[in-house]
Amino acid sequence: MDNRPIGVFDSGVGGLTAVRRLHEILPHEDIIYFGDTGRVPYGTRSAETILKYTRQDVRFLRKFDIKAIVVACNTVSATALDIVANETDVPMIGVVWPACAAARAATKTGRIGVIGTPATVRSGVYDRMLKAADPNLAVFMQPCPLLVPLVENGRVHCGDIVAETVVREYLAPIKAQNVDTLILACTHYPLLSEVVAAEMGENVTLIDSGAAAAESVRGMLVPAEERQGKTRYFVSDDPQGFNQLAPGFLNGSLDFPAEQVDIDAY
Amino acid sequence: MDNRPIGVFDSGVGGLTAVRRLHEILPHEDIIYFGDTGRVPYGTRSAETILKYTRQDVRFLRKFDIKAIVVACNTVSATALDIVANETDVPMIGVVWPACAAARAATKTGRIGVIGTPATVRSGVYDRMLKAADPNLAVFMQPCPLLVPLVENGRVHCGDIVAETVVREYLAPIKAQNVDTLILACTHYPLLSEVVAAEMGENVTLIDSGAAAAESVRGMLVPAEERQGKTRYFVSDDPQGFNQLAPGFLNGSLDFPAEQVDIDAY
């Protein structure tokens, strides 16, 4: 038994889609969540800046005696994880390879679409990892810089012409490739599933990268003893906005309200 | 004569709309510009975080022997300027009161609209300052959280259904009040003038807050001697994106490419 908490971080609230799945499948685990709400978004910034922010996020989580870190952010997983994992002596689990594994399990035609932030797409990591596993896969990537602002402003439902138009434009080149599987390579995007699914049609499987990462954690940890796990939340901006948004992402209320962290100090 | 440079800062590239006007009306002045591209946007963050970032921005500019600071950011001008100006021994010129003065000069009906970031609108400063100057003015404010992401993604032209829909939604309550003057209370918004003007109609005067601030600087400084002023640009993220975007905001090329600053160190 290992009762130490699991650390989870993201640029903002998106990583809560991974926490939600962790709560479902690992209810005995304690979790420490950090959302860098004072510096979100990461996905439109340079690789160098993302690396700097990631190092600070990891140093903050290491303040706690954690047993693993879930990098619930595709941008970090795609651009900084290898470097930081190499500097860190607890296991770090990103969202990229669990999402790739889930997509490979789901696809029948071998044609896979990937939507993500500009930084994630620019990194090319999804294309490389999918083709390294199976060179016969055809992978189509599309950067979607406006989707995080849309999610953060609650524009996530069918019938919203702005959400529908932006999603339709971004998905058009992917849809034209007749993919049967679409990786939502940003932990904010599951909130837009309704609009994305309506656009792609019922024959396309959507892969939730945060949920896939949560599933992959299960086999990699010494579990906690049977008890009710607790989750603490930390953010770098005023917690008020986070406390309002989080229940929607978690589909449930917070164990404790979020606390504020001066992330520059790490 | 005072040949020391003028410092100008903004959360990102928006403040370049003020630099553009400074170049037109004060061509002899040297300028040091800082854009906090590693932490943009400010307008959706808490007042406390905006204050912290502002103090760092000012400390960086004070490294140079500047004669004044133009706060080319409505969010900072609305929420942190009074506090930081009080801590600083060079004059700091914000965008709020120049924009208010320009709006008062323009209005005939006394009905003024204000569009800005959530932080600027939440501060209530435009309403307070306009009514303090003239209690008969009627002021209508509207937060527009998606406009900065739209500008940053180049969605600024008529015919773009996303830009048009978002602008129409935000402006509807202002338009219903029959304003004759609209303050663009964010230095990003002048890039959307085409869409905003088409929606408001030709009888509404748009006030460019960055340009108004630049005009107000002219009367407040000991000028530089007659020469060709130079502008240096600094940003907190990789300068590449800034160097690409900036000529569009400035309507001209950069004297020098932007340099990167570690703003956390200030």
Side-chain angles (χ1 to χ4, degrees):
Chain A
M1 297 294 103
D2 185 342
N3 286 343
R4 292 179 300 162
I6 301 169
V8 181
F9 76 96
D10 179 43
S11 61
V13 293
L16 293 176
T17 56
V19 172
R20 175 178 171 168
R21 186 62 63 97
L22 286 173
H23 284 166
E24 289 165 6
I25 63 177
L26 296 171
H28 309 316
E29 300 292 340
D30 287 344
I31 296 172
I32 305 287
Y33 183 84
F34 174 66
D36 197 0
T37 54
R39 304 189 297 198
V40 69
Y42 283 7
T44 49
R45 309 203 194 279
S46 68
E48 181 195 351
T49 293
I50 296 162
L51 177 60
K52 174 183 160 182
Y53 292 174
T54 300
R55 285 185 167 129
Q56 292 176 312
D57 302 343
V58 167
R59 278 196 287 266
F60 167 69
L61 285 176
R62 295 303 309 277
K63 254 196 21 170
F64 302 88
D65 184 19
I66 51 176
K67 60 182 170 185
I69 294 174
V70 178
V71 181
C73 174
N74 276 270
T75 297
V76 170
S77 298
T79 65
L81 177 57
D82 291 348
I83 300 168
V84 178
N86 208 30
E87 301 165 351
T88 307
D89 59 2
V90 295
M92 290 184 70
I93 298 120
V95 287
V96 175
W97 71 252
C100 288
R104 287 175 53 220
T107 187
K108 294 190 176 70
T109 64
R111 301 181 72 79
I112 298 174
V114 181
I115 56 174
T117 65
T120 295
V121 170
R122 200 168 57 222
S123 77
V125 66
Y126 274 95
D127 189 63
R128 281 200 305 281
M129 293 199 68
L130 286 166
K131 288 184 177 160
D134 181 352
N136 295 318
L137 293 174
V139 181
F140 308 95
M141 318 242 290
Q142 176 67 35
C144 305
L146 277 172
L147 296 193
V148 170
L150 286 178
V151 170
E152 292 191 344
N153 285 283
R155 310 212 52 156
V156 297
H157 296 298
C158 289
D160 181 327
I161 191 172
V162 172
E164 286 182 342
T165 304
V166 171
V167 166
R168 187 175 308 124
E169 285 179 23
Y170 287 148
L171 291 180
I174 299 260
K175 210 175 157 183
Q177 296 294 344
N178 288 313
V179 303
D180 75 341
T181 303
L182 179 66
I183 301 178
L184 307 181
C186 171
T187 48
H188 280 78
Y189 296 178
L191 278 281
L192 273 164
S193 290
E194 181 187 329
V195 182
V196 173
E199 184 59 27
M200 293 305 289
E202 61 188 13
N203 294 325
V204 175
T205 306
L206 305 186
I207 304 297
D208 176 335
S209 60
E215 296 284 353
S216 80
V217 167
R218 180 162 31 185
M220 299 176 63
L221 294 177
V222 176
E225 60 192 82
E226 289 203 18
R227 56 178 189 167
Q228 179 59 48
K230 292 288 181 200
T231 302
R232 288 177 69 186
Y233 302 91
F234 297 87
V235 291
S236 52
D237 198 354
D238 185 321
Q240 195 183 349
F242 180 90
N243 287 333
Q244 282 165 1
L245 270 177
F249 278 74
L250 290 169
N251 202 24
S253 57
L254 305 183
D255 294 336
F256 308 100
E259 299 162 58
Q260 192 166 1
V261 177
D262 179 8
I263 194 66
D264 284 359
Y266 287 88
Chain B
M1 296 294 102
D2 185 343
N3 285 344
R4 292 179 300 162
I6 301 169
V8 180
F9 76 96
D10 180 41
S11 60
V13 293
L16 294 175
T17 56
V19 173
R20 174 178 174 169
R21 186 62 64 96
L22 286 172
H23 285 166
E24 289 165 6
I25 62 176
L26 296 170
H28 309 315
E29 300 292 340
D30 287 344
I31 297 172
I32 305 287
Y33 183 83
F34 174 66
D36 197 0
T37 55
R39 304 189 296 197
V40 69
Y42 283 8
T44 48
R45 309 203 195 278
S46 68
E48 180 195 351
T49 293
I50 296 162
L51 177 59
K52 175 183 160 183
Y53 291 174
T54 300
R55 285 185 167 128
Q56 292 176 312
D57 301 343
V58 168
R59 278 195 287 265
F60 167 69
L61 286 176
R62 294 303 308 279
K63 254 195 22 171
F64 302 88
D65 184 19
I66 51 177
K67 60 182 170 185
I69 294 174
V70 178
V71 181
C73 174
N74 276 270
T75 297
V76 170
S77 299
T79 64
L81 177 56
D82 290 348
I83 299 168
V84 178
N86 208 32
E87 300 165 350
T88 308
D89 58 4
V90 295
M92 291 185 71
I93 298 120
V95 287
V96 175
W97 71 253
C100 288
R104 287 174 54 219
T107 188
K108 293 190 177 71
T109 63
R111 302 180 72 78
I112 299 174
V114 182
I115 57 175
T117 65
T120 295
V121 170
R122 202 170 54 221
S123 77
V125 67
Y126 274 96
D127 189 63
R128 280 198 307 279
M129 293 198 69
L130 286 166
K131 287 185 178 159
D134 181 351
N136 295 318
L137 294 174
V139 181
F140 307 96
M141 319 241 292
Q142 175 68 35
C144 304
L146 277 170
L147 295 192
V148 170
L150 286 177
V151 169
E152 292 190 344
N153 286 284
R155 309 212 53 156
V156 296
H157 297 297
C158 288
D160 181 328
I161 190 173
V162 173
E164 287 182 341
T165 304
V166 171
V167 166
R168 188 175 308 124
E169 285 179 24
Y170 287 148
L171 291 179
I174 299 260
K175 211 175 157 184
Q177 296 294 343
N178 288 311
V179 303
D180 75 342
T181 303
L182 178 66
I183 300 178
L184 307 181
C186 172
T187 49
H188 280 79
Y189 296 178
L191 278 283
L192 273 164
S193 289
E194 182 186 327
V195 182
V196 173
E199 184 59 26
M200 294 304 291
E202 60 188 12
N203 293 324
V204 174
T205 305
L206 305 187
I207 304 297
D208 176 335
S209 61
E215 297 284 353
S216 80
V217 167
R218 179 160 33 183
M220 300 176 64
L221 294 178
V222 176
E225 60 192 81
E226 289 203 16
R227 56 177 189 169
Q228 180 58 48
K230 293 285 180 202
T231 301
R232 289 178 68 187
Y233 302 91
F234 297 87
V235 291
S236 51
D237 199 354
D238 186 319
Q240 197 184 348
F242 181 90
N243 287 332
Q244 283 165 1
L245 268 178
F249 278 75
L250 290 169
N251 202 23
S253 57
L254 304 183
D255 294 336
F256 308 99
E259 300 162 56
Q260 192 167 0
V261 177
D262 179 8
I263 194 65
D264 283 359
Y266 289 89

